[in-house]
Amino acid sequence: MTQHVVNVLLSGIFHASILFLVAAGLQVVFGVQKIFNLACGSFYALGAYVGVSAVGWYTGAGGPAALFVLPLALAGLAVGAVGVVVERGLLRFVYDRDETFQLLLTFAVVLMMEDAIRMTWGTSPRSTAGLYLTYGQVPILGAAVPVYNLIVIGASLAIALLIGWLLTRTAFGRIIRASADNREMAEALGVDMRRVYATVFTLGTALGTLGGALVIPATAAMSEMGIELIVEAFAVVVIGGLGSMRGAFVGALIVGVLRSIAISVYPELEMLLIYLIVIAVLVLRPRGLFGGAAA
Amino acid sequence: MQTSRRQFLKLTGAGAAAAAARLEAAPAFAQAAGPVKIGVLAIRAGIAAPVGTAGLRGTEWWADRVNKAGGILGRPVQLVVEEESNPKDTVERYRKLILQDKVEVVLGGISTGVTLALGPVAEDLGTPWLSWDGTTQKGVEETMPNPKWAFKSVDNEVEAIAAGILTAKYFKGVKTVAGINNDYSYGHDCWQSYLAVLKKLGMDVKPVLDLFPKLGVTDFTSHIAAIQKAKPDLLMTSFWSGDATILMKQAAAVGLFKTMKGVFTTAGGVHDSLKKEFTPEGLLLGYNSMYFDDPKGSALLKQFVREHKARYNEYPPYECDHAYFCAESYKAAAEKAAGGSRQWPAKAQVVKALEGIEVESLSGKRSWREDHVQMCNFFQGITTHKNGYDFVTVSPLEVISTKQAMKPAGTKLFDWINGWKA
């Protein structure tokens, strides 16, 4: 029995870890730039594909299998730089426009990225073969848990703490929070908003690409993988509260773990349960569990 | 990777701008020199993109081959490729192919959601349409029992029925089964058909869990936790895309198939992603209607596999042959309808010639049943690591004909299964 509880909980937390990274990217961008970035799912897919290529290159060059996580995470972070291009090249032109334009623009990015991915990596699913199994399993209360899943959970937790520290303990974090609270005031006090926007958007992008890169050994990259995740990321954001990091963390845990419990207990409820919670939150607490807090 | 439409036109069309008036209207000899325009619908985006790509590759290989050998009745073949997407847009592109591009025939169609809508349009427009992989079934019920112009693929659930027959042969002692299938018609139909076959063949099995994740899910760790809890003797899945690979890998990470049998009815569509590192031996694996490594395969299959590998660095999946057969049967029917002359036959004559025709396809002989349904062999077998590849193949290989595993014309699926003499 305990073994099943561990299996169900840990698979839910594993799912939540990835969901958190993507949702956090969504939140940080919305918190500061007030843009609902539909493309966060595409960044996730991009990270996954780049991760596959990086690991392929790494093993091809004879790198030890046990260290494959390093090039994987580095590639995931590095490709986050595409955020600067999207922000400076596209988004900055629509900051003063209606939200509909912003949504449309990020949706256009979704479509373009899907095509770009298809042209670069082809249509067949890509995967990192058996690297997922490199680290084996550890027994936890009778359940055999893949070590790689624990690494992803650990990495996601570390990133959550790092973001928390960044936002609350550093000058950069204070500037971000100030900009999120009151853009005009921050600008009047001498904050270079262009730099803040570029940095924040890149941070949001890198969270998504890193999430994609980290998940890829356990799954396979498919060009539409981002679309699937973004629906769940929306649920996370609604439950946690738009713009809130703490909301992304708690929301991801709720969605991941409840989904996992539903699949084990009453599989018909798999997705429905998530939407029921979303509806309940919208009715009872429309701003979400942590809504209203800045970034 | 893939020949673009423009390159391809250059390749096969020889730059000839065909006058291509409607055949019925113009005397046949007037256009005998122009190319035969063949419309192709292929999915190139989304989860079924690899399948659509495979179909297109099979068709292109066929066209190259036919053109090198002098075309059909002396006319070169020219492909006009359009995208299969949602039903509404695909129907529009289908109309464009016929009304604007004036093609002689349309090949393609993979998603039954789309082809259900294409069927009546094909009848309406009076041009033959040969579907690669799509049917006009609603669930397991045929909606177009007597089409005139539409030629449809094998019933969707055939591979699940074949897998049921082989489960009864290879996994006799199984008492409990779990299923994980996608939450749409194909997934549900496969699971129901599979269970019906097991029951009919006297296997006293109890379904203990049926999971239906939606199409496109890429994380099954929670589903696997549920399967571990249900502890079935056997897990069945009809996953056919990257999800099959993901399920296999995530199952391996917790050693799932150390304690249960596995049946992957359709994962052969992504066979070269099923690496030995995480795909165990002893699973039942289905390759649909073509197996690239068939030891009894024809010289044609071997040549195709060799050239496909050389060109794309991949071993071809079954959809190549659905597509090859559609094109090759069209050619054979046109030649048959011409009756030895060089006169190009009318469309209705080609359709008549297609009915019941049998041709040599990549996987062996394939034919069109009189009611316009594709007849072929299905290839399944037990996974093995004893090969020169980095992915699994099957041995022994089992070949099951649609004569055995597909409901005959005019019957209801479950009545038919229940009527088997076990």
Side-chain angles (χ1 to χ4, degrees):
Chain A
M1 187 60 207
T2 27
Q3 164 196 355
H4 297 313
V5 174
V6 172
N7 273 334
V8 169
L9 284 182
L10 278 179
S11 62
I13 295 172
F14 172 67
H15 193 72
S17 306
I18 299 299
L19 210 47
F20 163 71
L21 291 178
V22 176
L26 196 68
Q27 297 287 53
V28 73
V29 169
F30 185 84
V32 177
Q33 291 166 283
K34 310 294 176 227
I35 282 186
F36 201 81
N37 179 24
L38 289 169
C40 66
S42 308
F43 296 140
Y44 166 75
L46 181 69
Y49 275 96
V50 170
V52 173
S53 292
V55 166
W57 173 83
Y58 172 77
T59 45
L67 293 176
F68 82 89
V69 179
L70 296 176
L72 185 70
L74 280 177
L77 274 177
V79 74
V82 79
V84 189
V85 181
V86 173
E87 200 275 337
R88 284 290 95 188
L90 294 171
L91 278 184
R92 72 187 171 108
F93 298 110
V94 298
Y95 286 135
D96 300 326
R97 297 277 198 98
D98 194 56
E99 281 145 5
T100 330
F101 283 99
Q102 303 173 350
L103 266 183
L104 270 177
L105 184 70
T106 58
F107 185 61
V109 174
V110 171
L111 298 179
M112 288 190 285
M113 293 271 287
E114 203 182 318
D115 269 346
I117 284 174
R118 207 175 304 132
M119 282 162 67
T120 316
W121 284 278
T123 51
S124 297
R126 296 300 210 90
S127 87
T128 55
L131 277 180
Y132 182 38
L133 312 179
T134 306
Y135 300 118
Q137 314 159 335
V138 281
I140 299 180
L141 300 171
V145 179
V147 173
Y148 187 76
N149 289 15
L150 297 177
I151 293 178
V152 171
I153 293 170
S156 188
L157 203 60
I159 290 165
L161 292 173
L162 190 70
I163 295 175
W165 173 79
L166 194 75
L167 287 179
T168 54
R169 304 286 149 132
T170 65
F172 174 68
R174 275 189 285 276
I175 291 175
I176 287 186
R177 283 185 296 142
S179 312
D181 259 357
N182 191 333
R183 180 183 154 182
E184 283 78 18
M185 181 62 84
E187 250 179 328
L189 291 173
V191 173
D192 179 357
M193 211 43 82
R194 280 184 316 179
R195 243 191 70 210
V196 170
Y197 277 12
T199 316
V200 163
F201 195 79
T202 310
L203 174 66
T205 306
L207 284 170
T209 51
L210 181 62
L214 285 179
V215 80
I216 202 59
T219 175
M222 301 194 273
S223 60
E224 68 288 343
M225 65 191 292
I227 313 253
E228 184 247 328
L229 200 79
I230 192 129
V231 178
E232 281 182 60
F234 281 0
V236 167
V237 167
V238 172
I239 293 170
L242 207 50
S244 156
M245 274 297 166
R246 217 170 301 155
F249 188 83
V250 176
L253 266 182
I254 290 177
V255 169
V257 172
L258 282 185
R259 173 179 170 271
S260 190
I261 292 173
I263 289 170
S264 264
V265 177
Y266 197 75
E268 285 81 355
L269 278 184
E270 175 180 344
M271 275 318 274
L272 187 67
L273 183 70
I274 308 300
Y275 293 124
L276 288 178
I277 297 167
V278 166
I279 292 170
V281 167
L282 285 176
V283 171
L284 301 173
R285 203 182 155 85
R287 309 191 66 161
L289 299 179
F290 297 89
Chain B
M1 288 278 288
Q2 167 183 323
T3 320
S4 77
R5 181 180 156 189
R6 182 163 302 170
Q7 287 169 324
F8 198 75
L9 288 181
K10 221 162 46 188
L11 202 70
T12 57
R22 290 291 289 268
L23 283 174
E24 285 84 350
F29 58 81
Q31 38 184 311
V36 191
K37 282 194 175 184
I38 293 182
V40 180
L41 288 173
I43 300 185
R44 288 194 274 193
I47 191 159
V51 189
T53 305
L56 195 55
R57 288 174 181 176
T59 310
E60 290 175 347
W61 192 76
W62 170 84
D64 274 348
R65 192 178 156 80
V66 167
N67 281 339
K68 273 183 207 141
I72 306 178
L73 296 172
R75 293 172 66 184
V77 166
Q78 179 186 335
L79 303 181
V80 185
V81 181
E82 284 288 343
E83 186 115 353
E84 173 183 345
S85 55
N86 59 52
K88 185 179 150 288
D89 293 353
T90 311
V91 162
E92 272 168 31
R93 293 188 201 109
Y94 184 89
R95 298 182 72 91
K96 179 208 157 247
L97 281 173
I98 290 165
L99 301 174
Q100 196 180 318
D101 298 319
K102 308 216 185 296
V103 299
E104 289 293 332
V105 59
V106 180
L107 311 174
I110 287 171
S111 157
T112 288
V114 171
T115 50
L116 250 179
L118 276 184
V121 181
E123 296 299 281
D124 190 40
L125 291 177
T127 291
W129 161 53
L130 281 58
S131 166
W132 290 345
D133 213 349
T135 69
T136 50
Q137 291 196 152
K138 202 161 224 161
V140 296
E141 299 293 335
E142 183 56 65
T143 62
M144 283 176 65
N146 296 305
K148 176 150 192 276
W149 300 96
F151 288 77
K152 302 162 299 181
S153 191
V154 282
D155 293 355
N156 290 327
E157 64 283 353
V158 172
E159 40 218 338
I161 293 172
I165 294 170
L166 293 175
T167 300
K169 177 174 173 181
Y170 285 98
F171 303 137
K172 273 196 194 77
V174 164
K175 293 284 171 224
T176 51
V177 293
I180 177 163
N181 296 280
N182 286 128
D183 193 13
Y184 71 135
S185 182
Y186 176 75
H188 286 272
D189 296 344
C190 279
W191 177 231
Q192 293 307 329
S193 314
Y194 180 74
L195 289 178
V197 170
L198 294 191
K199 190 168 159 235
K200 184 62 200 178
L201 295 182
M203 286 187 77
D204 182 23
V205 295
K206 194 170 125 217
V208 287
L209 179 71
D210 39 4
L211 297 170
F212 290 104
K214 71 181 167 57
L215 201 60
V217 169
T218 52
D219 174 18
F220 298 105
T221 48
S222 298
H223 301 85
I224 288 167
I227 295 164
Q228 286 177 299
K229 181 165 152 258
K231 280 195 187 137
D233 296 335
L234 180 148
L235 175 70
M236 175 274 196
T237 179
S238 60
F239 284 180
W240 48 266
S241 187
D243 46 7
T245 317
I246 298 169
L247 179 69
M248 194 73 88
K249 203 194 265 192
Q250 295 184 341
V254 295
L256 194 72
F257 292 116
K258 286 189 180 130
T259 55
M260 66 189 70
K261 309 285 183 200
V263 173
F264 284 70
T265 65
T266 322
V270 288
H271 61 99
D272 48 8
S273 73
L274 300 176
K275 307 292 182 203
K276 288 176 185 169
E277 294 156 292
F278 55 86
T279 310
E281 295 188 300
L283 305 174
L284 179 63
L285 174 62
Y287 286 80
N288 196 287
S289 55
M290 184 186 97
Y291 177 50
F292 79 103
D293 207 23
D294 185 353
K296 292 186 186 143
S298 64
L300 182 70
L301 176 72
K302 295 203 164 80
Q303 184 195 350
F304 177 67
V305 171
R306 200 171 53 238
E307 291 180 14
H308 189 282
K309 166 77 173 133
R311 185 159 175 193
Y312 306 110
N313 200 26
E314 283 168 22
Y315 292 95
Y318 68 91
E319 196 67 33
C320 296
D321 197 29
H322 274 319
Y324 182 92
F325 166 69
C326 286
E328 180 67 11
S329 65
Y330 176 76
K331 173 176 178 278
E335 287 165 353
K336 185 176 159 198
S341 74
R342 286 296 236 189
Q343 288 255 324
W344 192 263
K347 286 175 184 168
Q349 290 175 294
V350 179
V351 162
K352 207 164 174 322
L354 273 169
E355 286 167 358
I357 205 168
E358 185 178 75
V359 297
E360 184 69 33
S361 200
L362 301 175
S363 61
K365 293 224 182 314
R366 288 189 178 218
S367 60
W368 289 110
R369 205 164 66 183
E370 293 295 333
D371 63 334
H372 298 194
V373 173
Q374 219 182 100
M375 300 295 283
C376 58
N377 283 325
F378 273 70
F379 299 84
Q380 304 193 345
I382 303 297
T383 53
T384 174
H385 289 178
K386 292 185 194 74
N387 60 42
Y389 312 106
D390 65 343
F391 52 89
V392 296
T393 52
V394 292
S395 178
L397 174 69
E398 297 275 355
V399 183
I400 293 189
S401 159
T402 44
K403 286 185 193 117
Q404 188 190 352
M406 183 162 70
K407 66 175 186 295
T411 56
K412 297 236 182 272
L413 178 71
F414 293 107
D415 294 348
W416 170 67
I417 292 176
N418 290 328
W420 287 2
K421 289 182 193 75

